[in-house]
Amino acid sequence: MKKILFTPIGGTDPIRGSYDGAFIHISRVIKPDKVYMYLSKEMVEKEEADHRYTKTLELLSKHIEKNIEYELIKRPNLVDVHIFDDFFDEFKEIIKRIRKENPESEIYVNVSSGSPAMKSSVQILSVLGEEKLIPIQVSTPVKRMNDGMEKDYDVELMWECNIDNEDNFENRCKKSKKRNLAFQIKADIIKEQIRKYNYSSAIDIANGSKEFISDKFMDLLNGAYRRLQLDFANMTRYISKYNEHFLPINRREDRDIIEYLLSLKIKIEKKEYADFIRAISPLFLEISIKIFEKYSGLNIDDYTFMDDEIKKWSDGKLRNGDSRVLDIINGPNALNGKFNTTDTLKSVHFKFLIDGFCTNDAVKDKINEVRDVESKVRNTAAHQIKSVTDEYVKQTTGYTSNEVFNMIVDLLKYTNIPFSKEYLNSYDEMNKKIIDEL
């Protein structure tokens, strides 16, 4: 990766007291591909008089056997170098231009050269600015103040007398350990959005700070978003390269039910109660099918067919299969001859089938209890345009959203799905993995 250095030029540059000034010392250590030098009126005059900044950089380039390009940003009318606001705004624009010209490069900034206002502006931009900058401080030799600048400056002589040209020179550069505070604020917001399962919002915020964020973090975050959308193929595409595993169960049929269940839990956490009650019916149907299969010993696929991704009863399979299935659904204690043998599968069908095949009264009671709740919330969602709150769910069903959710969870123990209540923490564990990468 290319290295770029932006540096104001100050009174201690390029060489002072037989040692590198800050801008030359940083160049010696990081070996940049290009240096952008910002010169006030005084520095412009010195450069035009003896080319001390460019010639010294050229001598360094030859000494370290590294071709260093440079650009002078001259401000011949800049006399008052102590006004912070002027430098902050201008440096911000200059750095934007540098980034545009060098999109795939690391940008280093010298916070040890120039006037106090210049140094402060560069430091604050490195901490609060939108661009990722690497601020470099340079300490003075043996921690003492540098001597004054010689009046008759001889570039060649100053270079020859420069002690830092020795092979064992002391590296006086130090990277600032402080993270960019603007990003730190964004990072805290991103973490909070992840903890609240708002992955789409977290992605939008993170996309504005990709310079500070690893590819792995972005991939895991996108994987989490895809998981919540139940898009497991694309989730796997994002996370498999890191050998990460988000799902507690991988067998497809069981996975789909457990992940759908977990998505309901998140709807409650996000107070999306209307979405929660609309999502209950498909899940209750799938769990009812699994309970029927367990207690009957039959496979639902032997009695159904897929019609444009919708599972329907098959008249032929019903008549050629175990006669008890059709007899129970269409019997006097069920639909009493009104059953459509090509109908879509409905939870009421499996209420009757479980009643007929299962001898465990606890299972039957739990199915009836949950179906009563499911029927009430389904009718509410289908026939009313109304704000749905947890209080409204309680008023309609007699149970809070969490109580309804737990009733559905309890049904799983009557299936053959290998379920553990620890799975309910799966999203929080995934969130921790993602946050640890930020």
Side-chain angles (χ1 to χ4, degrees):
M1 183 179 288
K2 290 175 64 177
K3 295 178 180 180
I4 306 299
L5 172 63
F6 170 69
T7 174
I9 299 298
T12 62
D13 295 311
I15 297 173
R16 189 168 182 178
S18 299
Y19 288 94
D20 292 339
F23 118 77
I24 285 293
H25 198 68
I26 295 171
S27 300
R28 183 186 300 277
V29 172
I30 72 168
K31 299 178 174 60
D33 294 277
K34 186 171 182 178
V35 177
Y36 290 79
M37 291 178 265
Y38 183 90
L39 286 71
S40 65
K41 180 178 185 296
E42 179 185 353
M43 306 310 161
V44 169
E45 291 172 351
K46 289 178 179 179
E47 172 63 20
E48 291 177 348
D50 52 34
H51 305 291
R52 63 183 65 183
Y53 308 117
T54 54
K55 285 184 69 174
T56 303
L57 187 61
E58 288 167 1
L59 289 167
L60 174 67
S61 180
K62 183 178 180 181
H63 180 74
I64 64 175
E65 298 180 344
K66 165 76 176 182
N67 180 44
I68 302 176
E69 299 178 20
Y70 58 81
E71 178 182 322
L72 298 179
I73 304 171
K74 296 182 179 181
R75 297 295 181 260
N77 298 318
L78 178 57
V79 176
D80 192 347
V81 295
H82 304 291
I83 300 177
F84 169 83
D85 289 346
D86 292 345
F87 292 121
F88 184 85
D89 293 337
E90 185 179 13
F91 287 176
K92 184 177 180 180
E93 293 305 312
I94 289 171
I95 288 169
K96 280 185 180 179
R97 174 172 71 85
I98 292 172
R99 170 59 69 200
K100 187 175 181 181
E101 293 173 0
N102 307 276
E104 302 298 326
S105 302
E106 290 181 325
I107 300 179
Y108 293 77
V109 290
N110 176 7
V111 297
S112 293
S113 288
S115 69
M118 292 179 186
K119 289 186 278 191
S120 296
S121 296
V122 175
Q123 181 69 61
I124 291 173
L125 280 170
S126 72
V127 175
L128 292 175
E130 297 174 358
E131 300 292 344
K132 182 178 181 180
L133 306 175
I134 304 173
I136 304 292
Q137 304 175 45
V138 179
S139 61
T140 57
V142 295
K143 309 297 185 291
R144 58 191 171 88
M145 292 297 292
N146 281 321
D147 301 327
M149 177 66 75
E150 293 81 355
K151 291 182 179 180
D152 299 319
Y153 195 93
D154 185 320
V155 175
E156 298 285 349
L157 179 61
M158 293 294 286
W159 178 255
E160 290 297 327
C161 296
N162 187 357
I163 296 171
D164 281 328
N165 283 330
E166 297 176 3
D167 292 340
N168 61 344
F169 75 94
E170 177 192 3
N171 180 357
R172 303 190 305 279
C173 292
K174 183 180 180 182
K175 288 184 183 180
S176 173
K177 293 182 179 179
K178 293 183 179 179
R179 294 184 71 182
N180 181 284
L181 293 184
F183 171 67
Q184 189 61 58
I185 293 169
K186 286 186 178 181
D188 289 341
I189 297 172
I190 291 169
K191 291 176 185 177
E192 188 63 20
Q193 292 303 307
I194 292 172
R195 292 188 185 103
K196 291 181 177 179
Y197 318 103
N198 295 324
Y199 304 116
S200 178
S201 296
I203 289 169
D204 288 342
I205 299 167
N207 278 334
S209 301
K210 280 192 173 179
E211 293 180 324
F212 301 93
I213 293 174
S214 69
D215 289 342
K216 181 177 181 180
F217 172 81
M218 289 303 301
D219 284 342
L220 295 184
L221 182 55
N222 275 288
Y225 171 74
R226 295 294 183 175
R227 179 189 182 186
L228 191 56
Q229 302 302 310
L230 307 178
D231 181 2
F232 304 117
N234 278 309
M235 178 204 74
T236 301
R237 180 172 63 84
Y238 277 112
I239 71 173
S240 60
K241 68 184 82 170
Y242 306 107
N243 198 31
E244 292 287 356
H245 304 282
F246 286 171
L247 309 183
I249 291 180
N250 289 306
R251 183 172 176 268
R252 182 172 180 177
E253 288 187 3
D254 296 339
R255 174 202 70 189
D256 290 351
I257 291 175
I258 296 302
E259 288 298 310
Y260 194 93
L261 175 76
L262 295 177
S263 74
L264 261 66
K265 180 176 182 289
I266 289 172
K267 292 183 191 305
I268 297 173
E269 295 282 352
K270 296 171 73 172
K271 303 186 187 306
E272 297 171 351
Y273 299 112
D275 290 341
F276 168 72
I277 63 175
R278 279 191 288 267
I280 289 174
S281 293
L283 180 61
F284 178 59
L285 172 60
E286 291 300 322
I287 294 175
S288 296
I289 292 172
K290 292 295 183 182
I291 294 173
F292 157 72
E293 288 182 326
K294 177 178 178 179
Y295 286 95
S296 68
L298 303 176
N299 187 328
I300 193 64
D301 292 339
D302 294 337
Y303 299 86
T304 60
F305 72 102
M306 295 301 296
D307 181 14
D308 194 22
E309 298 189 1
I310 298 174
K311 188 170 280 192
K312 294 183 176 180
W313 293 106
S314 166
D315 181 82
K317 289 181 179 181
L318 282 167
R319 297 189 188 284
N320 293 323
D322 189 319
S323 61
R324 291 176 296 171
V325 175
L326 185 55
D327 290 345
I328 290 171
I329 299 178
N330 223 7
N333 295 323
L335 295 182
N336 199 21
K338 297 178 181 178
F339 175 54
N340 177 358
T341 55
T342 59
D343 199 0
T344 57
L345 275 61
K346 297 174 183 176
S347 60
V348 66
H349 300 155
F350 293 93
K351 165 187 157 44
F352 298 136
L353 287 170
I354 292 167
D355 279 344
F357 279 100
C358 181
T359 58
N360 186 331
D361 289 338
V363 178
K364 297 178 184 180
D365 291 343
K366 183 62 70 173
I367 283 287
N368 288 330
E369 181 182 30
V370 177
R371 187 178 182 281
D372 180 60
V373 170
E374 181 264 342
S375 178
K376 288 176 180 176
V377 295
R378 174 165 37 85
N379 290 334
T380 297
H383 300 113
Q384 296 186 36
I385 300 176
K386 187 169 184 175
S387 172
V388 179
T389 63
D390 198 33
E391 290 75 17
Y392 182 75
V393 174
K394 168 84 171 175
Q395 188 180 53
T396 304
T397 67
Y399 302 96
T400 66
S401 297
N402 273 313
E403 288 169 338
V404 173
F405 177 79
N406 288 330
M407 290 165 66
I408 297 171
V409 170
D410 285 345
L411 283 177
L412 289 172
K413 66 186 177 184
Y414 303 119
T415 72
N416 288 320
I417 297 172
F419 176 75
S420 166
K421 289 201 173 180
E422 291 179 359
Y423 296 168
L424 298 177
N425 299 321
S426 176
Y427 267 83
D428 292 333
E429 291 169 1
M430 176 186 71
N431 289 347
K432 185 178 184 305
K433 282 185 183 179
I434 298 170
I435 289 170
D436 286 346
E437 293 295 329
L438 187 59

